[in-house]
Amino acid sequence: MIEPRTLPGFYEFLPEKQIEFNKIKDIIIKNYEKFGFLPLDTPIIELQDVLLAKAGGETEKQIYTLEKGDKKLALRFDLTVPLAKFVAKNYGELAFPFKRYQIGKVYRGERTQRGRAREFYQCDIDIIGDGELNIINDAELPTIIYNIFKELDFGDFTISINNRKLLSGLFQELQIEENSAEILRIIDKFDKIGIENVKKEFEELNLSQEKIDKIIDFILIDGTNNEKIKSLKSYNINNDIYLKGLNEIEQVIENIEKLGVPEDYYKIDLKIVRGLDYYTGTVYETFLKDHRELGSICSGGRYDDLASFYTNKKLPGVGVSIGLTRLFDQLDGLGLIKYNKKSTSNVLIVSMDENMDKCLEISTILRDNNVNAMVYMEDKKIKAKFKYADKLKIPYVIVIGEEEIKQNKYTLKNMKTGEQSLLSIDEILNII
Amino acid sequence: MIEPRTLPGFYEFLPEKQIEFNKIKDIIIKNYEKFGFLPLDTPIIELQDVLLAKAGGETEKQIYTLEKGDKKLALRFDLTVPLAKFVAKNYGELAFPFKRYQIGKVYRGERTQRGRAREFYQCDIDIIGDGELNIINDAELPTIIYNIFKELDFGDFTISINNRKLLSGLFQELQIEENSAEILRIIDKFDKIGIENVKKEFEELNLSQEKIDKIIDFILIDGTNNEKIKSLKSYNINNDIYLKGLNEIEQVIENIEKLGVPEDYYKIDLKIVRGLDYYTGTVYETFLKDHRELGSICSGGRYDDLASFYTNKKLPGVGVSIGLTRLFDQLDGLGLIKYNKKSTSNVLIVSMDENMDKCLEISTILRDNNVNAMVYMEDKKIKAKFKYADKLKIPYVIVIGEEEIKQNKYTLKNMKTGEQSLLSIDEILNII
């Protein structure tokens, strides 16, 4: 006999959790499709040289590799590389802008700690342009995020928006471009390590006190979105990249408003930079206001070129990703996942005796009327049958015995209130 | 630059195909849930010793293995072994009968030939009893299959049903039990190799001509379901296992009828045995009447004990599986997949000029009214915008220009008929 074990970092929910997980996933899909995104489902296994074309360092260490025959294979570690491969491979078949969503499992062999899964779902959307892509697309993504988290109802949230070009412009103005990668890395940690440590790390880079103050002032620009844009304009930086960034973020903010997102839900935050050097313009992070400690629950940004490792075509894009497994696990830990349902059934039909004929007949009528219904088929005491409904939190039980069959009426019990009444099938259908 | 390649045997559909694939998957899920099955989603990677507890021979050769740290891992090759592991592991948490569905990718490193995928979806349902499981459950599964394939509408189909105990009883009667594995293997090939070859292979087993004739007579029993049951009764075999099988198949057939499945759709077929020795009672295969050459598109059966490799608990079950990737690929090859939609959008909103404000506003109104809508945001000629709608087969285009904005009415073009008219937003909502 072998002990049935599941690997650490790999999730396998009980059905009641899986039902809630799926509900969230379905809301995400519905909203992605509402904005016209097309589904994609790429393989989990790819050739190593294809998957790792661009990867390096940390990513490569975390990867799951395997061999089959003479082929070196690997499991995907995100959904962006497979998208790049797919678009490069099928360029001629696609209509651009290509809007795709993909929801699927990805694999990273990280050390497991709370919230660090090795197998987890990502829910990605990206809009890929052919050569160019209008900046208004960058306003559509926060609108989709807003719609999703509004519907998911996990509490108030903020979509923080920045544009990398603004910081690049600032660094150029301050003539500290050669340090920009390190400076961005430090800014990225601002929330985690606090202002004093940020200053200390800047000092370790040998930045002058004046420049450090200027950076700090800049990333802490405060006010409403319009006030922040005004401040950014008054900064008097005139290099091309800064002006471009300024123009972009202004358009993004304007158009989010036009798309009907209430101002409370999105704000310019000049500290948001995202870890990846991949991003070249707009960047996003999303925070639950009451649970900032969770970090960003939905992030992304604009990139100049999706698939330069696979094709000469220039394919700029913008995308965001929800790390669904991690998010679900964290929300569950906080008690924010409500287990209203533990079953997919609305009704359990039980017989008073061994005769199941009427139960089967009634179950078919219910299903034909789009009611999810289950017949309890085992030969158990009536108490055991009710216990089953209770354990699965099935809202209604229909009881059928000789008397009911004679009268052509059936006992419907509301499992929440305990109420029960003798009703015709039509009356039952009206209630359920 | 690296050539963007996808591995042979791994599918990656263009969005138009993926939309149809998802539609089928959703119909399967809807029907599984209609009968109260609960969702399960187990990891794709498991420990080798757990996954291969029961496997052997052919299965083991096909498996994808990998190592991470000091752990020997493998990719799941079906959804039954993970179910067994899950039920054994979570026995105390589950309500029995445990009805679960799982739809997910599985991995087999087979030689690739048409229809032989290495990564493919299986859509499984199983009902697991605790110690025992009423035979009526065996009637529910064909009912679910009927509902699914009726709704999928790929043409007429037959669910073929047999009970392994009948053949075991026959073999006992003929005193050829020691050959039963080989005989079953030969019967399983009947459709493929034909009656003459079956006889020849029986002869090679040194069965007497009389016994061969008896087996052939038996597996070719003809008539309606009731006539077949009558014939089976008149066979005058009186060993326990035969009588048990006879009683079971009679109950299954009776109860399928009570569950409202028209008789045309299910029939006793004594040639159906299923490859796996796993099954111990009822077995199912499903065939498209006009495309019998596809083989069974949905198969399964009853087993005595799900998880004997992981637990001492006796867990009898009954299940069926749809090999969705293979089925989809085959139906697509036959032209039976209709590509009515190439987009998730019902409307494309385009601007006559660069001003997109009204387009964004209208898109939000449409989405708030549950219409999937996309704005064409790129600065292209109006012709290019229509071409985009055309390529994605989006049914409606709304055109907005200065004139429209003044009148507060917008041009709605039906892309199928070419009709267009100037309408208010309410009128548009009524039409779409």
Side-chain angles (χ1 to χ4, degrees):
Chain A
M1 200 110 75
I2 286 174
E3 194 201 336
R5 293 155 290 152
T6 298
L7 284 159
F10 288 70
Y11 289 80
E12 184 179 69
F13 298 134
L14 286 169
E16 61 210 62
K17 269 203 192 186
Q18 194 63 47
I19 287 171
E20 296 304 317
F21 187 91
N22 289 356
K23 208 193 286 173
I24 296 173
K25 190 157 59 112
D26 289 345
I27 287 175
I28 293 171
I29 292 173
K30 192 188 71 183
N31 279 284
Y32 286 172
E33 294 197 343
K34 216 171 211 183
F35 284 80
F37 285 73
L38 302 173
L40 185 63
D41 184 7
T42 64
I44 284 173
I45 307 181
E46 301 271 8
L47 284 161
Q48 265 181 45
D49 68 325
V50 171
L51 204 60
L52 300 176
K54 191 185 160 180
E58 273 311 298
T59 308
E60 213 147 326
K61 261 186 271 169
Q62 296 178 2
I63 237 116
Y64 283 87
T65 58
L66 63 162
E67 290 183 27
K68 191 82 189 170
D70 56 351
K71 290 205 171 85
K72 285 184 184 302
L73 312 174
L75 305 189
R76 67 184 179 204
F77 53 91
D78 73 5
L79 301 176
T80 308
V81 175
L83 171 66
K85 185 209 72 174
F86 178 83
V87 176
K89 191 167 177 285
N90 298 286
Y91 173 82
E93 307 283 327
L94 303 175
F96 290 93
F98 176 54
K99 292 179 149 192
R100 88 86 179 77
Y101 75 87
Q102 180 165 6
I103 292 178
K105 289 176 170 179
V106 304
Y107 296 82
R108 291 186 201 168
E110 309 199 39
R111 264 163 210 259
T112 42
Q113 28 174 290
R114 177 137 190 97
R116 281 292 166 198
R118 287 173 172 169
E119 176 184 70
F120 53 98
Y121 277 93
Q122 286 197 333
C123 310
D124 281 25
I125 32 172
D126 287 85
I127 309 172
I128 310 299
D130 184 10
E132 50 187 7
L133 186 69
N134 196 316
I135 186 72
I136 304 186
N137 290 285
D138 297 41
E140 186 169 75
L141 294 195
T143 309
I144 300 170
I145 301 173
Y146 162 74
N147 277 279
I148 288 172
F149 285 98
K150 194 76 194 162
E151 185 167 351
L152 288 176
D153 198 22
F154 297 134
D156 277 342
F157 58 91
T158 309
I159 305 163
S160 295
I161 300 168
N162 194 7
N163 190 304
R164 282 268 193 108
K165 293 190 179 82
L166 291 169
L167 288 167
S168 297
L170 175 72
F171 298 165
Q172 195 174 314
E173 175 78 9
L174 298 178
Q175 290 175 304
I176 50 171
E177 296 150 277
E178 72 279 12
N179 285 124
S180 70
E182 289 94 334
I183 299 172
L184 287 174
R185 199 181 38 75
I186 296 167
I187 294 174
D188 193 35
K189 296 192 289 183
F190 194 102
D191 271 349
K192 217 181 280 174
I193 64 175
I195 186 165
E196 291 313 318
N197 286 312
V198 165
K199 280 184 186 168
K200 209 178 290 167
E201 294 204 16
F202 280 160
E203 279 159 19
E204 284 162 16
L205 287 180
N206 287 322
L207 297 183
S208 72
Q209 203 51 56
E210 193 203 335
K211 287 179 181 176
I212 292 177
D213 291 343
K214 279 198 172 153
I215 300 172
I216 297 283
D217 268 7
F218 188 87
I219 62 178
L220 292 181
I221 286 174
D222 208 4
T224 63
N225 288 326
N226 285 335
E227 285 164 3
K228 281 175 190 162
I229 286 173
K230 230 173 172 178
S231 298
L232 289 170
K233 281 182 179 167
S234 72
Y235 245 74
N236 226 351
I237 303 175
N238 289 309
N239 57 55
D240 284 355
I241 189 146
Y242 186 83
L243 295 176
K244 193 148 191 255
L246 185 54
N247 176 270
E248 285 180 5
I249 204 165
E250 199 174 356
Q251 286 195 65
V252 169
I253 295 297
E254 256 179 51
N255 283 295
I256 296 175
E257 192 189 342
K258 284 176 192 153
L259 280 160
V261 182
E263 169 134 24
D264 280 357
Y265 289 91
Y266 61 102
K267 69 160 193 229
I268 296 174
D269 184 343
L270 297 156
K271 298 190 303 301
I272 299 297
V273 298
R274 302 296 304 136
L276 297 162
D277 47 352
Y278 184 58
Y279 295 114
T280 50
T282 311
V283 286
Y284 318 97
E285 295 196 342
T286 311
F287 301 94
L288 290 180
K289 277 188 184 164
D290 295 337
H291 299 285
R292 182 106 193 170
E293 75 276 10
L294 298 186
S296 174
I297 58 174
C298 176
S299 316
R302 159 75 77 144
Y303 37 90
D304 276 342
D305 205 352
L306 173 73
S308 58
F309 285 77
Y310 304 124
T311 175
N312 286 322
K313 303 276 176 206
K314 211 191 158 208
L315 302 166
V318 60
V320 291
S321 179
I322 302 172
L324 181 56
T325 303
R326 182 165 168 259
L327 175 63
F328 183 82
D329 193 45
Q330 290 176 323
L331 293 173
D332 196 36
L334 290 168
L336 289 174
I337 305 289
K338 307 272 167 282
Y339 294 101
N340 304 316
K341 272 184 87 174
K342 292 191 167 190
S343 172
T344 48
S345 277
N346 293 320
V347 193
L348 183 74
I349 305 166
V350 305
S351 174
M352 294 289 281
D353 46 44
E354 319 87 79
N355 182 358
M356 224 80 79
D357 293 1
K358 202 69 187 181
C359 297
L360 300 183
E361 191 192 318
I362 298 291
S363 77
T364 303
I365 295 174
L366 290 173
R367 292 187 198 109
D368 286 348
N369 283 279
N370 281 315
V371 176
N372 292 5
M374 185 150 60
V375 177
Y376 190 94
M377 294 186 183
E378 305 314 298
D379 191 12
K380 292 269 161 85
K381 297 223 167 83
I382 191 81
K383 212 175 146 186
K385 297 178 180 178
F386 273 101
K387 210 174 143 192
Y388 186 77
D390 227 34
K391 199 161 177 186
L392 291 178
K393 283 199 181 170
I394 300 174
Y396 293 98
V397 172
I398 294 173
V399 186
I400 301 179
E402 271 182 52
E403 197 49 44
E404 279 87 354
I405 294 173
K406 261 189 223 152
Q407 293 195 38
N408 225 0
K409 289 195 168 192
Y410 315 98
T411 304
L412 179 73
K413 180 168 179 180
N414 180 325
M415 294 296 284
K416 239 186 190 158
T417 63
E419 268 179 285
Q420 57 180 61
S421 30
L422 201 67
L423 301 168
S424 73
I425 185 69
D426 284 337
E427 291 169 322
I428 289 174
L429 278 169
N430 271 330
I431 291 177
I432 298 175
Chain B
M1 201 109 75
I2 286 173
E3 196 200 334
R5 292 155 290 153
T6 299
L7 285 158
F10 288 71
Y11 288 80
E12 185 178 70
F13 298 133
L14 286 170
E16 61 209 61
K17 270 203 190 185
Q18 193 62 49
I19 287 171
E20 296 304 317
F21 187 91
N22 290 355
K23 207 192 286 172
I24 297 172
K25 189 157 59 114
D26 289 345
I27 287 174
I28 294 171
I29 292 174
K30 192 188 70 187
N31 279 285
Y32 285 171
E33 295 198 343
K34 214 169 212 181
F35 285 80
F37 285 74
L38 301 173
L40 184 63
D41 184 6
T42 64
I44 284 173
I45 307 181
E46 302 270 8
L47 285 160
Q48 264 181 45
D49 68 324
V50 172
L51 204 60
L52 300 177
K54 191 186 161 182
E58 273 311 298
T59 308
E60 213 147 326
K61 259 186 271 168
Q62 295 178 3
I63 238 116
Y64 283 87
T65 59
L66 63 163
E67 291 184 25
K68 191 80 189 172
D70 57 349
K71 290 204 171 85
K72 285 184 183 304
L73 312 174
L75 305 188
R76 67 183 180 207
F77 54 91
D78 72 5
L79 301 175
T80 307
V81 175
L83 171 66
K85 186 208 71 174
F86 178 83
V87 176
K89 190 169 179 285
N90 299 287
Y91 173 82
E93 308 282 329
L94 303 176
F96 290 92
F98 177 54
K99 292 178 149 192
R100 87 86 180 75
Y101 74 87
Q102 181 165 8
I103 292 177
K105 289 176 171 180
V106 304
Y107 296 83
R108 290 187 201 167
E110 309 199 39
R111 263 163 211 257
T112 41
Q113 29 174 287
R114 175 138 194 98
R116 281 291 168 198
R118 289 176 170 166
E119 176 184 70
F120 54 98
Y121 277 93
Q122 285 196 334
C123 309
D124 280 25
I125 34 174
D126 287 86
I127 309 174
I128 310 299
D130 184 11
E132 49 187 7
L133 185 71
N134 196 314
I135 186 73
I136 304 186
N137 290 286
D138 299 42
E140 186 170 77
L141 295 194
T143 310
I144 300 172
I145 301 173
Y146 163 73
N147 276 278
I148 289 172
F149 286 98
K150 194 76 193 161
E151 185 167 352
L152 287 176
D153 197 20
F154 297 134
D156 278 342
F157 57 91
T158 308
I159 304 164
S160 296
I161 300 169
N162 195 6
N163 190 305
R164 282 268 192 108
K165 295 189 178 83
L166 292 169
L167 289 167
S168 297
L170 174 73
F171 298 165
Q172 196 174 311
E173 175 78 10
L174 299 179
Q175 293 176 299
I176 51 172
E177 295 149 278
E178 70 280 11
N179 285 126
S180 71
E182 289 93 334
I183 299 174
L184 286 174
R185 199 180 39 74
I186 296 167
I187 294 175
D188 192 35
K189 295 191 289 183
F190 195 102
D191 270 349
K192 218 181 279 175
I193 64 174
I195 187 163
E196 292 312 321
N197 287 312
V198 165
K199 282 183 185 169
K200 208 177 294 167
E201 295 205 14
F202 282 158
E203 280 161 17
E204 285 161 15
L205 287 180
N206 287 322
L207 298 183
S208 72
Q209 202 53 53
E210 193 201 340
K211 288 180 182 177
I212 292 176
D213 290 343
K214 279 200 172 152
I215 301 173
I216 297 280
D217 268 7
F218 187 87
I219 62 177
L220 292 182
I221 287 175
D222 208 5
T224 64
N225 288 325
N226 287 335
E227 285 164 5
K228 282 176 190 161
I229 286 172
K230 232 173 171 176
S231 298
L232 289 170
K233 282 181 180 166
S234 71
Y235 246 76
N236 227 352
I237 304 177
N238 290 310
N239 58 54
D240 285 355
I241 188 143
Y242 186 85
L243 294 176
K244 191 148 192 254
L246 186 53
N247 177 270
E248 286 180 5
I249 204 165
E250 200 174 355
Q251 287 196 64
V252 170
I253 294 296
E254 256 179 52
N255 283 295
I256 296 176
E257 192 188 344
K258 284 178 191 152
L259 279 160
V261 182
E263 169 135 26
D264 279 357
Y265 289 91
Y266 61 102
K267 69 158 195 232
I268 296 174
D269 184 341
L270 297 154
K271 298 189 303 302
I272 299 298
V273 297
R274 303 294 307 138
L276 296 162
D277 46 353
Y278 184 57
Y279 296 114
T280 51
T282 312
V283 285
Y284 318 98
E285 295 196 343
T286 313
F287 301 94
L288 290 180
K289 278 189 182 162
D290 295 337
H291 299 285
R292 184 106 192 169
E293 75 278 9
L294 298 187
S296 173
I297 57 173
C298 175
S299 316
R302 159 76 75 146
Y303 39 89
D304 277 341
D305 205 352
L306 174 73
S308 57
F309 285 80
Y310 304 124
T311 176
N312 287 322
K313 302 275 175 210
K314 210 190 159 212
L315 302 166
V318 59
V320 292
S321 179
I322 302 172
L324 181 56
T325 302
R326 181 164 167 260
L327 174 62
F328 182 82
D329 193 44
Q330 289 177 322
L331 293 174
D332 195 37
L334 290 168
L336 289 173
I337 305 288
K338 304 273 168 283
Y339 295 100
N340 303 316
K341 270 183 86 177
K342 293 191 166 189
S343 172
T344 50
S345 279
N346 293 320
V347 194
L348 183 73
I349 305 166
V350 305
S351 173
M352 293 288 281
D353 44 47
E354 317 89 78
N355 183 357
M356 225 80 79
D357 295 0
K358 202 70 188 179
C359 295
L360 300 183
E361 192 193 316
I362 297 292
S363 77
T364 304
I365 296 173
L366 291 173
R367 291 186 198 111
D368 286 348
N369 284 280
N370 282 316
V371 176
N372 293 4
M374 185 151 59
V375 177
Y376 189 93
M377 293 186 183
E378 305 313 298
D379 190 15
K380 291 268 162 83
K381 297 225 169 80
I382 191 80
K383 213 176 146 185
K385 297 177 180 178
F386 273 101
K387 210 176 144 191
Y388 186 77
D390 227 34
K391 199 162 178 185
L392 291 178
K393 282 201 184 171
I394 300 174
Y396 292 98
V397 173
I398 294 174
V399 186
I400 301 179
E402 271 183 53
E403 197 49 43
E404 278 88 354
I405 294 173
K406 261 189 221 152
Q407 292 196 39
N408 226 359
K409 289 197 167 189
Y410 315 99
T411 304
L412 179 74
K413 181 168 179 178
N414 180 323
M415 293 297 282
K416 238 184 193 162
T417 63
E419 266 179 288
Q420 59 180 57
S421 30
L422 202 66
L423 300 169
S424 74
I425 185 69
D426 285 337
E427 291 169 321
I428 289 174
L429 279 169
N430 271 331
I431 291 177
I432 298 176

